[in-house]
Amino acid sequence: MKTDGMRFHKVIWIPGLLVVSALSGCGLFGSKSSPMTSDQQMAAFIAHEHKTRATDQGLQAPADDGKAKAGIYTSLGTAYLQDGHPRQAIRELQMANQADDSYADAYNVMGLAYEQLGQKTLARQAFEQALSLDAKNPEYRNNYGAFLVNTGDYKQAIVQLKQATADPLYSTPQFAWTNLAQAYAGLKDPVAARNALNRALYLLPNYPPALQILAEMDFKEGNVQAAYGHLQVVLAQEPDNASALLLAGQIAARQGRPEQAAALWQRCVNAAPYSDAGKKAQQLLLQHG
């Protein structure tokens, strides 16, 4: 089950900075300890902000310290991916690989970048390489599991995501539980999907992605009032969530509230006109106009 436009919160790590973002997808960027000095951290940030070469901003590492160099390039690659530039991110991550081909974080972020570009084979290879280097990392397993959900390989996704949720040191297990719910939904197992969502919501009450999947399930099962209630909580936190606005409008239309439905669909179009949800909302506006 894949909901168009669903936004899964990710903690995107740039050494020295913690940026909370909302990107399409279900993964989580890694958050290893930085091998960089505070001066290098600032230079990396400045290089990214000004789109210049890292070395032009004084970003240096000892000539024989490949891991430090890999950390620098990985942080820059992560920042570019956060900004929606996966190709530039991959270039930086390839530099990280050249500096130290055993730096697992670089492969993890590279998998996310290739996934954004729709290069599934390369994404799979990158995720598997990250796990071969750090098999116990739950964030990598969550990212790989999310990728497998998006490619329809639900059974293998469940294998990966169960391992992520079983790690007691995983700092954001609600990510993996929500992705696990999507995998179960893809296998037409609504009971297991709801159990996973309940676990995610127990860990983080009112977590929007989990509530949005619950809304989708309730809507398909005919429980539109419950679905609408979930969406109200989602939209209170994410007012421009296109897929939530689309579904809320569909529910309003079914309940005989055409003006509210039209208002919700218009908000959806304004928020993301070129997304699948935005295009569907435009069609609905024309049909019900």
Side-chain angles (χ1 to χ4, degrees):
M1 177 178 181
K2 183 179 179 182
T3 305
D4 172 62
M6 184 169 292
R7 302 165 68 196
F8 285 78
H9 292 289
K10 305 177 180 182
V11 177
I12 300 179
W13 176 78
I14 306 173
L17 299 172
L18 187 63
V19 183
V20 178
S21 179
L23 302 178
S24 297
C26 314
L28 173 70
F29 291 152
S31 55
K32 295 287 189 181
S33 297
S34 169
M36 301 165 65
T37 67
S38 59
D39 288 342
Q40 290 170 346
Q41 293 168 10
M42 182 55 67
F45 177 67
I46 293 172
H48 165 253
E49 289 297 295
H50 293 278
K51 303 299 185 288
T52 61
R53 289 173 55 85
T55 52
D56 293 340
Q57 299 296 332
L59 183 54
Q60 301 287 349
D64 60 347
D65 193 342
K67 190 169 294 294
K69 290 181 179 179
I72 289 169
Y73 288 118
T74 299
S75 69
L76 288 171
T78 301
Y80 279 115
L81 185 57
Q82 174 200 356
D83 280 355
H85 302 291
R87 296 185 189 279
Q88 180 62 35
I90 289 169
R91 285 192 285 270
E92 299 292 343
L93 296 163
Q94 288 172 338
M95 295 293 290
N97 291 342
Q98 291 176 21
D100 184 350
D101 61 5
S102 67
Y103 197 75
D105 262 357
Y107 293 102
N108 174 51
V109 182
M110 186 174 286
L112 294 168
Y114 279 129
E115 184 178 7
Q116 281 195 18
L117 291 172
Q119 298 187 32
K120 296 179 182 179
T121 299
L122 292 174
R124 182 187 295 268
Q125 291 173 353
F127 287 130
E128 290 179 349
Q129 182 64 16
L131 283 168
S132 73
L133 293 167
D134 189 358
K136 295 183 178 180
N137 191 307
E139 294 171 355
Y140 299 171
R141 292 208 177 273
N142 175 59
N143 285 347
Y144 188 30
F147 165 77
L148 292 169
V149 170
N150 289 332
T151 59
D153 191 351
Y154 302 120
K155 290 184 178 179
Q156 185 57 33
I158 288 170
V159 172
Q160 298 296 328
L161 294 165
K162 278 187 173 180
Q163 291 185 60
T165 59
D167 191 328
L169 300 180
Y170 189 17
S171 60
T172 52
Q174 67 273 10
F175 285 39
W177 281 110
T178 303
N179 292 328
L180 187 59
Q182 287 190 294
Y184 281 127
L187 291 177
K188 311 300 182 186
D189 189 345
V191 174
R194 285 184 181 274
N195 287 339
L197 291 171
N198 288 337
R199 188 62 182 269
L201 290 166
Y202 170 78
L203 293 165
L204 185 61
N206 295 331
Y207 180 48
L211 287 175
Q212 192 165 332
I213 297 174
L214 275 178
E216 290 277 359
M217 295 179 68
D218 285 337
F219 181 69
K220 289 179 179 179
E221 294 171 6
N223 192 351
V224 293
Q225 192 61 40
Y228 194 73
H230 296 319
L231 291 174
Q232 291 297 99
V233 179
V234 172
L235 290 170
Q237 300 175 70
E238 299 180 348
D240 293 329
N241 185 323
S243 58
L245 289 165
L246 173 66
L247 182 57
Q250 291 172 312
I251 292 172
R254 182 175 294 187
Q255 293 178 328
R257 295 180 279 116
E259 292 183 0
Q260 186 175 8
L264 288 162
W265 289 331
Q266 188 60 58
R267 283 175 58 190
C268 175
V269 173
N270 294 341
Y274 303 111
S275 68
D276 289 345
K279 293 175 183 177
K280 177 64 175 177
Q282 291 178 55
Q283 294 174 359
L284 290 169
L285 284 169
L286 290 173
Q287 291 174 12
H288 293 266

